[in-house]
Structures are given as structure tokens and as C-alpha cells.
């Protein structure tokens, strides 16, 4: 459902009608998206900025908030206004403004290599509020190199509060974080883990305990605890679950 309030507040990426010849290379692309959705635990959906509508919504319940995929698709951008708290809607508006300003200044085809990630709350029909992590990356650009369609991935956030806005470039350790106070992007690099710290994370991901990891890598349990503390400090997290979530989301393991 197209809504003027929705399109005005939640995106500044306004497109005119896309020429028919630009549509030809999109044949059956949604089949690949659907196949990916079947293989991941995360929610997947596709935004079409020409129509300001959702073109696909997966069946994963996290993003649906108690609706069916068909109901979410019918709501389109109005879904956000029904299921995102007011403060977080304001945050999404800021992210949209800053994100598309950043995207606009990137070189041509290089734009396809960038993705943005941020956290906000969703309100479910039963009243439950969940902090989710939302990732968005371009699927198709227009001839003018504007974002035409984007794929979005939704999972549970490992943070405690909304925000945490970062832009990543594929194949690069560079990332840009949005300072919400002055709406400025600040460039930095992904934190780096040592080979042993990555090994410890892998073993935790397999469900091994601290003592089992110590035996596996031939060190004492206290040494494993030291590696864990180092991981927490480098990733700025407080638990092994948060560390694993951060490492997976940032393609570190």
C-alpha cells in the first residue's frame, strides 16, 4: 500500500517510473531471494523504491509481528508506522536521511558493494517489544545509479539499545559509524581478532564449554577465559553470545 506519509518520512530515495528496458535483467531474481530465505534463520524482505512497496516478505516470524507475509506486503511502508515505536520511527528517519546522503556521494557501480546495519524496536501484536538488527543492501540500481531495489535481513540485535548505525563495504575492513549528535559519518576499521581468539569463538559456536575448549587447544581453562576477555574487549560486548552474534554479523568467523 503506497502512503505519502510513509514515503516522505522513511525514504528520501524517490524514483520516477523505471523504463521497461531496465526491467529485462530482473527476470526471476525473486526465485534466488526465496531460495536464500529458505536457507537462513533470519527474516528476509525486498523493498522496491519505485513503487514504495515490499516486493517480497519471507515467512520468518521475527519481522512479521504476528501478521502473515501477505498482510505485511499489503501494508508496505505503513507496516513501520503500525509496528515501530514513535522514538524509533524518528531514528529511522534520521538513518534514512544520513544513509541516502552517504550513498548518493559514492562512485557509480561501486554503490552496490555497500550495506547499512542498524537496530530498532518492533512491536508485536501481543504487545511484546523486540530489538532487532536490520541490514540493507542494494539489489538493483537505476541507470542514474540510484537505489532501485534493496534486500533487507532482520535478526535479533545483540545490542541493548536502538541505533548502532554502521555502513560496511564488501571486501574492506573499513566501516563508517553514524554519530547521531551531529549526523556525521565517522570512518574506522573493523576490530581484528587473533587466530587463537577466532579459534576460541569457533569452538564456542560448536557448543563446547570453557574446559572442553581448553582441552581442545591444549591450554588451561584460565587461558581460555583470558582469550574470552580479550574478545569481549576488542568487540565491545559483554557475553559470549553477543561476541558470536557480532562476529557472525560482521563476517569475522
Amino acid at each position: 500500500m503506497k502512503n505519502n506519509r510513509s514515503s516522505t518520512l522513511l525514504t528520501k530515495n524517490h524514483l520516477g517510473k523505471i523504463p521497461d528496458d531496465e526491467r529485462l535483467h530482473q527476470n526471476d531474481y525473486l526465485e534466488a531471494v526465496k531460495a536464500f530465505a529458505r536457507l537462513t534463520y533470519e527474516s528476509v524482505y525486498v523493498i522496491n523504491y519505485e513503487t514504495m512497496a515490499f516486493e517480497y516478505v519471507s515467512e520468518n516470524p521475527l519481522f512479521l509481528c504476528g501478521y502473515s507475509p501477505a498482510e505485511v506486503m499489503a501494508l508496505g511502508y505503513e507496516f513501520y508506522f503500525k509496528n515501530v515505536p514513535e522514538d524509533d520511527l524518528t531514528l529511522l528517519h534520521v538513518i534514512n536521511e544520513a544513509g541516502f546522503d552517504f550513498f548518493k556521494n559514492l562512485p557509480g557501480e561501486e554503490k552496490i558493494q555497500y550495506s547499512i546495519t542498524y537496530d530498532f524496536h518492533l512491536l508485536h501484536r501481543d504487545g511484546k517489544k523486540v530489538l532487532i538488527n536490520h541490514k540493507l543492501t542494494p539489489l538493483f540500481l537505476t541507470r542514474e545509479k540510484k537505489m532501485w531495489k534493496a534486500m533487507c535481513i532482520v535478526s535479533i540485535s545483540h545490542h541493548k539499545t536502538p541505533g548502532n548505525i554502521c555502513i560496511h563495504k564488501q571486501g574492506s575492513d573499513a566501516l563508517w559509524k553514524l554519530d547521531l549528535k551531529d549526523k556525521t559519518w565517522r570512518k574506522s576499521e573493523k576490530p581484528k581478532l587473533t587466530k587463537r581468539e577466532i579459534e576460541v569463538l569457533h569452538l564456542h559456536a560448536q557448543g563446547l564449554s570453557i574446559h572442553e575448549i581448553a582441552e581442545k587447544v591444549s591450554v588451561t581453562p584460565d587461558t581460555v577465559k583470558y582469550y574470552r576477555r580479550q574478545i569481549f574487549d576488542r568487540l565491545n560486548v559483554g557475553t559470549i553470545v553477543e561476541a558470536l552474534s557480532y562476529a557472525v554479523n560482521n563476517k569475522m568467523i
Side-chain angles (χ1 to χ4, degrees):
M1 179 173 65
K2 192 169 182 178
N3 183 289
N4 288 335
R5 174 182 68 159
S6 304
S7 59
T8 300
L9 290 180
L10 286 183
T11 187
K12 65 187 297 181
N13 184 46
H14 301 294
L15 307 180
K17 181 174 173 56
I18 304 296
D20 289 341
D21 63 323
E22 286 196 59
R23 301 179 191 279
L24 296 179
H25 67 293
Q26 291 192 30
N27 291 341
D28 300 327
Y29 89 93
L30 274 178
E31 294 307 312
V33 175
K34 292 174 184 177
F36 170 73
R38 291 194 295 270
L39 294 175
T40 181
Y41 67 92
E42 297 168 311
S43 296
V44 179
Y45 71 104
V46 174
I47 298 175
N48 184 334
Y49 288 101
E50 180 193 14
T51 59
M52 293 309 304
F54 298 157
E55 197 158 89
Y56 170 74
V57 177
S58 72
E59 295 180 355
N60 185 300
L62 177 62
F63 181 66
L64 299 179
C65 295
Y67 298 93
S68 69
E71 287 173 322
V72 174
M73 287 185 67
L75 283 168
Y77 262 56
E78 189 64 22
F79 170 84
Y80 297 114
F81 289 91
K82 291 175 69 71
N83 296 283
V84 177
E86 196 65 36
D87 286 349
D88 288 35
L89 277 175
T90 301
L91 173 67
L92 291 183
H93 176 65
V94 172
I95 294 170
N96 165 71
E97 290 283 317
F100 277 110
D101 282 344
F102 183 99
F103 187 78
K104 178 180 64 177
N105 293 318
L106 295 173
E109 286 295 337
E110 190 176 311
K111 292 179 176 181
I112 209 81
Q113 301 172 16
Y114 287 78
S115 59
I116 186 169
T117 176
Y118 47 89
D119 301 321
F120 64 93
H121 288 100
L122 285 178
L123 294 172
H124 285 237
R125 275 180 165 176
D126 61 6
K128 184 180 180 182
K129 186 165 71 170
V130 180
L131 186 65
I132 59 102
N133 176 254
H134 188 275
K135 301 181 186 69
L136 182 150
T137 194
L139 273 174
F140 297 103
L141 304 178
T142 66
R143 191 170 289 155
E144 292 77 27
K145 307 309 177 189
K146 289 185 176 183
M147 195 183 304
W148 178 1
K149 298 183 182 182
M151 185 161 69
C152 304
I153 305 291
V154 177
S155 59
I156 295 290
S157 172
H158 70 270
H159 291 107
K160 301 293 191 297
T161 57
N164 314 300
I165 307 129
C166 292
I167 287 177
H168 303 263
K169 182 183 180 185
Q170 182 180 7
S172 170
D173 287 333
L175 60 86
W176 293 260
K177 295 183 178 181
L178 182 63
D179 187 328
L180 288 170
K181 292 181 180 178
D182 58 11
K183 314 297 190 297
T184 300
W185 292 100
R186 306 195 186 283
K187 188 176 181 180
S188 60
E189 287 195 355
K190 293 179 186 177
K192 290 181 172 60
L193 300 178
T194 66
K195 289 183 179 179
R196 180 48 62 88
E197 289 162 356
I198 290 173
E199 183 180 17
V200 168
L201 274 182
H202 277 146
L203 293 171
H204 269 297
Q206 294 172 24
L208 274 63
S209 68
I210 289 175
H211 286 273
E212 289 170 331
I213 293 172
E215 184 177 345
K216 191 86 171 176
V217 298
S218 303
V219 298
T220 67
D222 283 343
T223 301
V224 175
K225 292 176 183 177
Y226 167 77
Y227 291 138
R228 282 165 50 109
R229 287 195 299 271
Q230 289 292 99
I231 292 168
F232 295 169
D233 288 346
R234 293 186 203 278
L235 303 186
N236 192 28
V237 298
T239 69
I240 194 64
V241 172
E242 292 175 355
L244 286 168
S245 178
Y246 185 99
V248 169
N249 286 335
N250 288 277
K251 302 179 181 178
M252 299 173 73
I253 61 172

